Amino acid sequence: MRVLAALAALSLGALTACGQSGGGTSAAGPLRIMAPAAPGGGWDQTSRTAEQAFKAADPKRKVEVFNVPGAGGTIGLAQLAGEKGNGNLLMTMGLVMVGAIEQNKSKVTLAETTPIAKLTEEYELVVVPAQSPYKSLADLVAAWKADPAKVSISGGSAGGTDHIVAGLMAKAAGVDPKRVNYIAHSGGGEALNELLGNKVSVGISGVAEFAEHVKSGKLRALGVTSAERVPGLDAPTLKEGGLDVELANWRGFVAPAGLSEADKKALTDAVTKMHDSQPWKDAVTKNGWIDSFQTGQQFADFLGAEQTRVKGIIAEMGLVS
């Protein structure tokens, strides 16, 4: 019996070894999702929402989210570049990273990744603490014109979506974008704490990050960057408030460069299955996200166009030298 047991264990070990062959990076293995920012922000929220949807779509597969904060995601991007050929790794990214690459003069760019899927779009919300003297966008603009330095604006990384919105708002209001007193953070949690602590004048972030605090009365919404009002959110558009600014943030997944065609297809199929799951659909609705799913060459083309567009915007805003 001992001999049989030993043979069975040996056979099991051989089967396990076979399952791990082929470089150990097959997309059938445990999946890791990098959120290249501190906990509490949009990338972290998207990553953890996707984690639950992946698990619902494929209960047998292990999925783990981990954070690599700093420099608008470019620290995480550099780490991803070191994982060439790893078919078990995704990184959540988006418009913020496109701007941060330019702002931080990152040596690693999105050319060193494999585009997998665009997931969502989301409008930006401009808020102030409940105790703020700014009751409307007009109040904010008046104070901004009087002394730009006294209006501190808290948001995500330098050169990211929040910073771009601040620059576009300043330009529309007749304030020099270079004089914007912008305080950058590596995660939405830090920016939110400053707002709730009444330590900054204004906050800019995605609708989902501020919406519940607006509903609870802790924050006051002055404007949203959509063309029309967002259902369920008590906030006028920036255009209604007199600032001709409209912008949608977007988020998606990229993987390391050097993937085999099989691993690229397996990752794309897994993300598509996640996107089609009910938990993901429910989260998109709950968070006020816009489903803008793209994969393959369509997403790769979009990514290329965004890099050109964003580089032009932040140069015009004086956010890069």
Side-chain angles (χ1 to χ4, degrees):
M1 292 295 290
R2 288 180 181 175
V3 174
L4 288 172
L7 286 172
L10 194 60
S11 299
L12 182 60
L15 284 170
T16 303
C18 288
Q20 292 175 343
S21 65
T25 59
S26 167
L31 178 65
R32 303 187 78 214
I33 304 173
M34 181 200 300
W43 286 341
D44 183 66
Q45 182 187 33
T46 299
S47 300
R48 296 184 189 282
T49 301
E51 176 189 16
Q52 297 307 311
F54 270 117
K55 289 177 178 178
D58 187 357
K60 293 182 180 179
R61 189 172 191 183
K62 295 180 76 172
V63 184
E64 174 197 7
V65 171
F66 65 104
N67 297 80
V68 181
T74 56
I75 292 176
L77 177 62
Q79 185 169 313
L80 187 83
E83 294 281 347
K84 192 172 181 179
N86 187 347
N88 291 320
L89 179 62
L90 288 170
M91 181 179 73
T92 304
M93 51 75 70
L95 179 58
V96 170
M97 185 173 287
V98 177
I101 288 169
E102 298 294 331
Q103 174 80 14
N104 295 298
K105 296 179 172 60
S106 174
K107 293 180 180 179
V108 181
T109 71
L110 292 171
E112 295 167 71
T113 69
T114 300
I116 298 297
K118 180 185 175 191
L119 297 172
T120 61
E121 291 183 350
E122 181 183 20
Y123 294 115
E124 295 272 289
L125 192 58
V126 180
V127 301
V128 293
Q131 301 82 9
S132 172
Y134 309 139
K135 306 298 182 185
S136 67
L137 199 58
D139 292 341
L140 170 62
V141 169
W144 216 1
K145 285 183 173 181
D147 191 346
K150 284 188 177 180
V151 178
S152 55
I153 301 175
S154 181
S157 26
T161 315
D162 306 339
H163 199 172
I164 289 172
V165 170
L168 292 173
M169 286 176 62
K171 184 180 178 183
V175 174
D176 183 353
K178 295 177 183 177
R179 297 188 66 194
V180 172
N181 180 11
Y182 186 80
I183 303 168
H185 299 280
S186 63
E190 298 170 3
L192 181 61
N193 288 338
E194 286 195 340
L195 274 167
L196 296 177
N198 212 33
K199 296 177 180 178
V200 291
S201 309
V202 182
I204 301 176
S205 192
V207 168
E209 293 172 58
F210 287 154
E212 68 177 74
H213 299 287
V214 170
K215 290 176 182 176
S216 71
K218 293 179 181 178
L219 297 175
R220 181 185 305 121
L222 298 188
V224 64
T225 63
S226 53
E228 299 177 354
R229 291 199 179 203
V230 175
L233 181 67
D234 184 18
T237 66
L238 292 180
K239 287 187 176 183
E240 284 181 68
L243 299 183
D244 189 12
V245 175
E246 184 182 332
L247 186 74
N249 190 10
W250 59 266
R251 300 188 183 106
F253 283 139
V254 294
L259 295 190
S260 68
E261 284 303 314
D263 279 357
K264 182 178 177 182
K265 183 180 185 303
L267 269 179
T268 303
D269 289 349
V271 172
T272 301
K273 190 175 180 182
M274 181 281 297
H275 164 265
D276 293 342
S277 71
Q278 196 59 48
W280 178 258
K281 291 177 180 178
D282 291 344
V284 167
T285 301
K286 178 184 175 183
N287 291 317
W289 295 339
I290 301 162
D291 187 355
S292 57
F293 194 62
Q294 294 179 341
T295 61
Q297 193 59 46
Q298 188 181 21
F299 178 47
D301 291 345
F302 170 81
L303 205 50
E306 279 295 274
Q307 290 174 79
T308 302
R309 182 178 77 96
V310 171
K311 187 174 182 177
I313 290 176
I314 64 175
E316 185 183 358
M317 295 297 100
L319 301 181
V320 292
S321 57

